[in-house]
Amino acid sequence: MTTVGGTEQNSVAARRATRKQLVLAVCCISQFMVILDLSIVNVALPNIQEGLRFSSADLQWVVDAYAIAFAGFLMLAGRAADLFGQRRTFALALFTFALASLIGGTAPTSGVLILARALQGLGGAGMAACSLAIITATFAAGPERHRAIALWAAMNGAGGAAGVLFGGVITDVLSWRWVLLINVPIGLAAAAVAAAVVAERRAGERRSFDLLGALFLTSGLLVVTYGGVTAGSDGWGSASALVPIAIGNVLLALFPLVERRAPAPLVPPKALTPQLRAVNGIVLLFSAAIFPMWFVSSLYLQQVLDLSPLSTGLVFLPMALVIFACASQAGKLSIRAGVRPVLGGGLIMMAVGMLLLSRIGSGGSAVQYVMLPGVLTAMGIGFSIVPSTIAATQSAGAEQAGLASGFVNTARQAGGGLGLAILISIATQYTSHRIGDGQAVSPALTEGFRIAYLIAAGLAATAALLTFAFLPRTAAAEPAVVRRRLAPAAIAILAVFLAVDLGVPRSHAAAIGRYTTKGAMSFVSAPGLHPPKLQLQLPAPAGHALPGYVMVANLYDLNRPKMVGQSGPLILDGNLQPVWFRPAPIDRVAGNLHEQTYDGRPVLTWWQGDVTPTGLINSGEELVVDNRYRPVATLKGKDGWVITLHSMVIQGHVAWVTANKNVTANLSRFGGVSQGVFVDSAAQKYDLRTGRLLYTWRATDHIPKSDSHTQPPPNGFPWDAYHINSIDLAPGGRVLVSMRNTWAGYLIDPGSGRIVWQLGGRHSSFDIPTEAHFQWQHDLELDSSSVVSLFDNHCCEITGAGQYLAAKAPSRGLVLRLDPARQSATKLAEYSHGTTFKSQYMGDVQNLPNGDVFLGWGQVPYLSAFTKEGKLLFDGAFPEPDITYRAYVQRWVGRPLDRPRGAARVHGGRTTVYASWNGATEVASWRVLAPAVVAVHKKTRFETPIRVDRNLGWARIQALDAAGRVIGTSKPFPSQPQNGARG
């Protein structure tokens, strides 16, 4: 029978348990938010820069302001919780964090956002220090506290991994502002819960506050952290890094002297127990490995394996779940086996996992190279964070819980910040050196990342050695039976991961020219050809037929690499049926097919090479063939320059091309790193007969990098500051070039190299009305001495991950009249396909001989013709995700050297003959011989099917021109049974 008193006791116990659960929940949510906000904004930085007009140099302060304030105030926040009360300090910190998030999420200017991020860091420091102190004080020593600390510590790993995933999702679905605004309701709710359920605890006696000690400690930490952050960009030998680091260390060295004289020291000498010193050193070391691991893995997945930020987050998701699962069990293991073996075993797992991560390749599977070794590393993280936190807090009294929390959090943050700065600096310096020596970007980045992983593995291994050397055994907590089970289990886990990682062959990058035949064309008579099947959306009306063939080159969408059909130059008729197609090799793609005149003869020119999803061009060449499709010239870059796909213009026997070269440079004043790499962009002139380089006009010699609207990457990934994407020859020997990333065109005088005028960009020579503003443009051409046309993408900045930011307006063709005397430009015409056409890159505008205008929409897979007044006449579409860099309408007469191709298939006693002649433009009809004439049929498309009511045995076909003359005869071919349908 239950008594009234017993019922009341049960009710009180239930309420106490509920209160503890709420305390744990709010502390875990708080820590998750703190760590999440250290990484979540990284994904949104390009959107933030575009939204608030950040300079590249100032943009990094969105991250650094938070990190510096967070690290600098951790110790002070922890001690403030002890002296002024945990509930008051914690609730105030949560409210400050929420308020700062609101200010940042609604910031009208870049300066307001930076200040808000610093205030967020201050609030985050209070949240991190108080939440651990509250857990230590709320839960009884032993299993209960260990389980609570395990869940709290799990938030550290889960928050870091979730930052990349959530940042990508929120930025894609909502906007960058919600990366901050999402904290507001959570922070305010958490503050309200904290005020209601957290008990107010402070030091037993009211003491004076050690203001001088707080100033020395906080200032020292702030200045040292600032120096470490600056060293990551400016270099460790720079005065901007060394001076603050030296000043900060002096302040920290004076701090003990100040404390000796303080009546109530901020850090009592007895608080720094030998165990706390040892644990803080261990935490500092393995944090210096963990923080760079997330950052390096993110860069590797995006810059080398070409994953989007969202896909990168999904790779990290299993790792975050493993951290949470292992951390939740680490507290129980620490109770049964003791802190020392659990922490040591976790650090060994972490070290081995990072060693396996160092086996990354310059292309291949993200699962093999990052996810699988990352899961082992994540297990190590889960089994390290929890016991190290337990060890740091278990020797602290209730009055010093906040101080102990401040110590371990400071060690974690300081170690992470220093490790990130040092390891990324080393990896970047090595990568930049290799790229400067001419190594391809992906292998150079991979080698740099390997070095960072190896150093991180060494740091984790050193932390493991210190654990076994300096942390005490707890004999009662380490029964022999537990030790005997724990060691074999850890060895078995390591053996499994080592066997899988070392036993499975290394994967390699898929060929960039990979394709599917689903949705592509296939031919019985030409089985090796698989061009894309374009759809005619709107045929040209009578009287407005296209005055020539459509010239395109099938290319992959950089965001969706696999193509439909093969890449290659492709000529189409007015019904978008193939006329000529030449597949590119599987390891290359083609672009920019164009009919030109070379030494008085008509030729076809196109580019062929290796372009990555991030937009970097590793290799490339320009090909020239005559009207018989014989090679006339092949042009490759000289002196380290790589010819890009953007433009080639022939004048006599000379060709002007666009070219890039990766150059090492100090990019710190532009927001990059001191040992950085930028893409120098040039317009070059070559002799087509000899391939000799005659002239180079380098953008960097004439245009400051600060004119760029792009931001440097945070490592050695090349910064594409200029991006010359078109060349047009102007009267008087001048050359007009377009630069996508400065939003400008430049008329240059090759003789002197000077810029005659600039259209658009930060220093335009012309006043341009708002309706004529253009951004990220392509294909700038002089239609006359005072009229220019261009393709105004109005979209988008590309990040180092190959991700494009949102467009600000639809793409369009644009025609402007220039008045150099008045320095003004006016809009003459624009050609638009509505608000849905927002081409992220590529595109062109062509004025046709009949007065119409033809547009290739670049990344939007359409081709369109308009009247001069802007009425849509013709529309065609590639199968998604295929695109073409440019699309032209040009006359062409092709007379291939090879023979027509024929094939015969028999089904039900009837024969179908398939006739084709790749590239022959003068074929009007086909004649079938077996051996006499058995059929004549008008040519209907690339491959014409001709039905014959009998089995032919062996047959040949003849191509006839419009006058009935034979212009080509195939080899004999046999009739074969029908074994499949044509595509």
Side-chain angles (χ1 to χ4, degrees), residues 663-915:
V663 180
T664 57
N666 183 348
L667 303 178
S668 58
R669 72 187 185 95
F670 306 107
V673 293
S674 59
Q675 298 284 337
V677 178
F678 80 95
V679 181
D680 197 0
S681 200
Q684 293 186 316
K685 184 167 67 171
Y686 285 84
D687 188 324
L688 271 176
R689 298 170 300 183
T690 64
R692 186 165 64 94
L693 176 60
L694 304 175
Y695 175 81
T696 298
W697 185 89
R698 299 175 59 192
T700 189
D701 291 338
H702 306 279
I703 301 167
K705 298 180 184 68
S706 55
D707 279 11
S708 179
H709 288 272
T710 60
Q711 62 175 3
N715 63 327
F717 190 86
W719 176 32
D720 193 3
Y722 301 113
H723 198 96
I724 296 179
N725 60 20
S726 74
I727 294 176
D728 190 31
L729 303 184
R734 292 171 172 173
V735 177
L736 180 64
V737 298
S738 167
M739 293 192 195
R740 179 186 189 274
N741 292 345
T742 65
W743 301 359
Y746 305 85
L747 184 66
I748 61 176
D749 178 7
S752 63
R754 72 182 182 90
I755 297 173
V756 179
W757 52 249
Q758 174 179 336
L759 177 65
R762 301 190 191 276
H763 307 288
S764 180
S765 306
F766 301 89
D767 290 328
I768 304 175
T770 301
E771 68 271 14
H773 283 179
F774 54 88
Q775 299 177 5
W776 314 105
Q777 80 290 337
H778 286 76
D779 200 49
L780 179 64
E781 293 190 359
L782 273 171
D783 297 335
S784 69
S785 60
S786 61
V787 176
V788 297
S789 63
L790 59 96
F791 186 81
D792 175 20
N793 295 78
H794 232 84
C795 178
C796 304
E797 180 178 353
I798 180 174
T799 68
Q803 180 192 31
Y804 288 83
L805 305 185
K808 291 186 175 179
S811 302
R812 59 181 177 170
L814 191 60
V815 181
L816 304 177
R817 182 181 299 281
L818 306 183
D819 188 338
R822 296 185 178 181
Q823 295 184 319
S824 64
T826 54
K827 186 178 78 171
L828 291 182
E830 74 170 73
Y831 303 95
S832 172
H833 213 302
T835 59
T836 59
F837 273 42
K838 298 175 181 178
S839 180
Q840 295 174 345
Y841 50 87
M842 304 183 183
D844 71 303
V845 179
Q846 180 192 8
N847 290 307
L848 299 179
N850 63 359
D852 295 337
V853 178
F854 194 74
L855 269 72
W857 292 95
Q859 184 261 339
V860 175
Y862 272 74
L863 320 168
S864 304
F866 296 85
T867 65
K868 191 173 183 179
E869 294 72 28
K871 179 183 176 182
L872 182 65
L873 297 173
F874 169 91
D875 227 12
F878 278 84
E880 292 192 17
D882 293 13
I883 60 173
T884 183
Y885 186 102
R886 287 186 174 91
Y888 294 103
V889 173
Q890 296 177 302
R891 299 187 183 279
W892 177 250
V893 177
R895 295 166 179 158
L897 281 176
D898 59 345
R899 294 183 175 190
R901 301 286 299 272
R905 296 293 182 264
V906 179
H907 180 69
R910 303 181 64 184
T911 301
T912 301
V913 175
Y914 298 95

Side-chain angles (χ1 to χ4, degrees), residues 566-584:
Q566 298 158 308
S567 178
L570 173 63
I571 300 177
L572 303 162
D573 64 18
N575 294 315
L576 299 184
Q577 291 296 310
V579 174
W580 175 71
F581 180 60
R582 177 173 291 184

Side-chain angles (χ1 to χ4, degrees), residues 179-245:
V179 168
L180 300 172
L181 291 174
I182 197 172
N183 294 322
V184 178
I186 301 173
L188 291 176
V193 173
V197 302
V198 174
E200 189 65 284
R201 301 179 185 88
R202 63 166 63 94
E205 57 181 274
R206 185 70 175 177
R207 298 180 294 176
S208 61
F209 183 69
D210 182 12
L211 180 61
L212 186 62
L215 288 174
F216 270 80
L217 178 61
T218 303
S219 299
L221 289 171
L222 283 171
V223 175
V224 166
T225 307
Y226 171 80
V229 168
T230 305
S233 58
D234 294 0
W236 289 93
S238 63
S240 58
L242 292 178
V243 171
I245 289 174

Side-chain angles (χ1 to χ4, degrees), residues 129-497:
C130 290
S131 59
L132 182 55
I134 290 168
I135 287 175
T136 304
T138 302
F139 295 89
E144 184 183 56
R145 182 184 295 175
H146 290 182
R147 284 193 294 270
I149 288 178
L151 286 174
W152 179 90
M155 297 301 107
N156 290 278
V164 178
L165 176 61
F166 289 172
V169 172
I170 293 171
T171 302
D172 287 346
V173 176
L174 299 172
S175 81
W176 69 265
R177 294 185 179 275
W178 280 99
V179 168
L180 300 172
L181 291 174
I182 197 172
N183 294 322
V184 178
I186 301 173
L188 291 176
V193 173
V197 302
V198 174
E200 189 65 284
R201 301 179 185 88
R202 63 166 63 94
E205 57 181 274
R206 185 70 175 177
R207 298 180 294 176
S208 61
F209 183 69
D210 182 12
L211 180 61
L212 186 62
L215 288 174
F216 270 80
L217 178 61
T218 303
S219 299
L221 289 171
L222 283 171
V223 175
V224 166
T225 307
Y226 171 80
V229 168
T230 305
S233 58
D234 294 0
W236 289 93
S238 63
S240 58
L242 292 178
V243 171
I245 289 174
I247 293 173
N249 278 304
V250 169
L251 291 171
L252 293 175
L254 292 174
F255 174 68
L257 301 178
V258 173
E259 292 297 270
R260 288 176 191 171
R261 296 176 177 270
L266 187 71
V267 181
K270 293 182 180 180
L272 285 171
T273 64
Q275 178 168 322
L276 184 57
R277 292 175 188 267
V279 171
N280 283 336
I282 292 166
V283 169
L284 187 143
L285 281 173
F286 75 69
S287 296
I290 293 174
F291 279 50
M293 185 274 294
W294 293 118
F295 190 69
V296 167
S297 298
S298 177
L299 291 177
Y300 170 72
L301 290 169
Q302 295 180 66
Q303 295 180 348
V304 177
L305 298 190
D306 303 321
L307 268 63
S308 69
L310 181 57
S311 298
T312 297
L314 293 174
V315 172
F316 286 159
L317 183 59
M319 299 163 66
L321 295 175
V322 167
I323 290 173
F324 189 85
C326 292
S328 64
Q329 297 300 313
K332 298 177 184 177
L333 279 175
S334 297
I335 296 167
R336 298 182 61 196
V339 166
R340 183 172 174 268
V342 178
L343 176 56
L347 290 170
I348 291 172
M349 287 183 181
M350 191 189 305
V352 174
M354 289 180 179
L355 277 175
L356 296 180
L357 281 168
S358 71
R359 300 184 72 238
I360 54 174
S362 57
S365 167
V367 173
Q368 181 182 42
Y369 286 140
V370 175
M371 186 183 290
L372 289 179
V375 165
L376 178 60
T377 306
M379 294 176 70
I381 293 172
F383 287 123
S384 300
I385 292 178
V386 174
S388 63
T389 306
I390 292 171
T393 57
Q394 66 185 3
S395 61
E399 294 184 1
Q400 296 172 352
L403 182 62
S405 172
F407 269 124
V408 71
N409 276 304
T410 300
R412 182 176 291 116
Q413 186 61 27
L418 287 172
L420 194 61
I422 294 172
L423 267 64
I424 295 303
S425 293
I426 293 171
T428 296
Q429 186 172 358
Y430 184 84
T431 294
S432 300
H433 174 73
R434 298 300 299 161
I435 292 175
D437 287 345
Q439 186 175 20
V441 172
S442 290
L445 285 168
T446 302
E447 290 179 14
F449 294 148
R450 281 189 193 130
I451 291 173
Y453 282 131
L454 288 171
I455 297 173
L459 291 171
T462 303
L465 291 175
L466 293 178
T467 298
F468 291 116
F470 292 104
L471 289 192
R473 281 179 194 266
T474 307
E478 297 185 41
V481 64
V482 176
R483 290 201 303 272
R484 283 198 300 268
R485 290 176 181 174
L486 191 61
I491 292 171
I493 292 170
L494 291 173
V496 169
F497 277 93

